[in-house]
Amino acid sequence: MNASIDFSQPADIVAPKLLGCVITMHGVSIRLTEVEAYLGAEDPAAHTYNGLTKRNATMFGPPGHLYVYFSYGLHHNGNIVCAPEGDGQGCLMRGGEVVAGEALARQRRQRPDRAHIPWENLARGPGNLGQALGLALPDNGTPVPLQMRNEEPEWVAGPRIGISKNTDAALRFWIPGNKTVSTPRGYPKTPSKKH
């Protein structure tokens, strides 16, 4: 098993190291297949771009902790705080495979007015992943419960999606061909090199 991740490194260095790792919370385990890096004061898309606020304070705290926030009044999204304390960097958990606790994840995600959710969609997208894990605001600031991967998967990097600023930055990292990755799926025009 690989050594633990040094979360004090910049988010764009940590992000690909998260792919294939498993996060376990509230009875559900998810293998991460897609993450996005946010680089603090140098990244207009980061929650921390304009400095410290009550909402984003956890992002400026010690690395290796969860930054959980309520998004669009619908979902709790989860980031893993990276870089030295005070930098305000993190990795958004965008997608993953439910590897344990599927019944509980499905219970959290399923609604009576919704058709049966395919397995690959249970934790596809940051809101769905957060819901499957049962993320809530009390989880904000807690140490990240991460199991290291056994080997590095193939991965690529490309532009982030679902944001309106700094959209061309190749700061989204994912396992190509994996059905749990957010659309658009596939390789970027210039795949990143494997580390």
Side-chain angles (χ1 to χ4, degrees), residues 1-3 5 12-22 31-33 35 147-157 173-176 192-195:
M1 187 169 291
N2 286 359
I5 296 171
D12 56 339
I13 301 298
V14 172
K17 296 177 182 181
L18 293 171
L19 296 173
C21 293
V22 175
R31 177 178 172 258
L32 297 174
T33 59
V35 296
Q147 177 186 343
M148 296 299 107
R149 62 195 184 191
N150 291 319
E151 59 184 29
E152 180 180 16
E154 178 184 3
W155 59 267
V156 293
F173 302 83
W174 70 96
I175 298 174
S192 65
K193 292 181 181 178
K194 192 175 175 187
H195 289 251

Side-chain angles (χ1 to χ4, degrees), residues 46-98:
H47 282 193
T48 53
Y49 179 67
N50 291 317
L52 178 69
T53 66
K54 184 177 179 181
R55 180 189 187 206
N56 69 21
T58 298
M59 286 280 278
F60 290 94
H65 288 69
L66 289 171
Y67 165 54
V68 179
Y69 64 95
F70 200 43
S71 178
Y72 300 111
L74 297 171
H75 303 290
H76 289 94
N77 293 350
N79 289 255
I80 298 172
V81 178
C82 303
E85 191 167 348
D87 275 15
Q89 296 189 34
C91 294
L92 173 68
M93 299 181 290
R94 275 207 66 89
E97 304 167 342
V98 176

Side-chain angles (χ1 to χ4, degrees), residues 2-193:
N2 286 359
S4 61
I5 296 171
D6 179 4
F7 290 107
S8 68
Q9 295 178 304
D12 56 339
I13 301 298
V14 172
K17 296 177 182 181
L18 293 171
L19 296 173
C21 293
V22 175
I23 183 167
T24 300
M25 296 192 71
H26 308 299
V28 172
S29 297
I30 293 176
R31 177 178 172 258
L32 297 174
T33 59
E34 180 184 15
V35 296
E36 286 180 345
Y38 288 87
L39 303 178
E42 64 183 76
D43 185 352
H47 282 193
T48 53
Y49 179 67
N50 291 317
L52 178 69
T53 66
K54 184 177 179 181
R55 180 189 187 206
N56 69 21
T58 298
M59 286 280 278
F60 290 94
H65 288 69
L66 289 171
Y67 165 54
V68 179
Y69 64 95
F70 200 43
S71 178
Y72 300 111
L74 297 171
H75 303 290
H76 289 94
N77 293 350
N79 289 255
I80 298 172
V81 178
C82 303
E85 191 167 348
D87 275 15
Q89 296 189 34
C91 294
L92 173 68
M93 299 181 290
R94 275 207 66 89
E97 304 167 342
V98 176
V99 295
E102 180 178 342
L104 185 53
R106 191 169 292 284
Q107 180 182 350
R108 290 172 179 154
R109 292 272 292 114
Q110 198 69 51
R111 293 196 318 243
D113 61 339
R114 181 186 289 164
H116 178 78
I117 298 172
W119 174 84
E120 63 268 20
N121 290 346
L122 284 174
R124 182 178 174 200
N128 295 337
L129 186 149
Q131 191 173 19
L133 282 176
L135 287 184
L137 292 180
D139 297 313
N140 187 41
T142 60
V144 61
L146 201 66
Q147 177 186 343
M148 296 299 107
R149 62 195 184 191
N150 291 319
E151 59 184 29
E152 180 180 16
E154 178 184 3
W155 59 267
V156 293
R160 294 173 296 193
I161 57 177
I163 58 172
S164 59
K165 298 175 182 176
N166 203 16
T167 56
D168 293 332
L171 295 172
R172 182 168 68 103
F173 302 83
W174 70 96
I175 298 174
N178 190 291
K179 292 182 178 181
T180 65
V181 172
S182 305
T183 51
R185 292 192 295 273
Y187 287 86
K189 291 180 182 177
T190 307
S192 65
K193 292 181 181 178

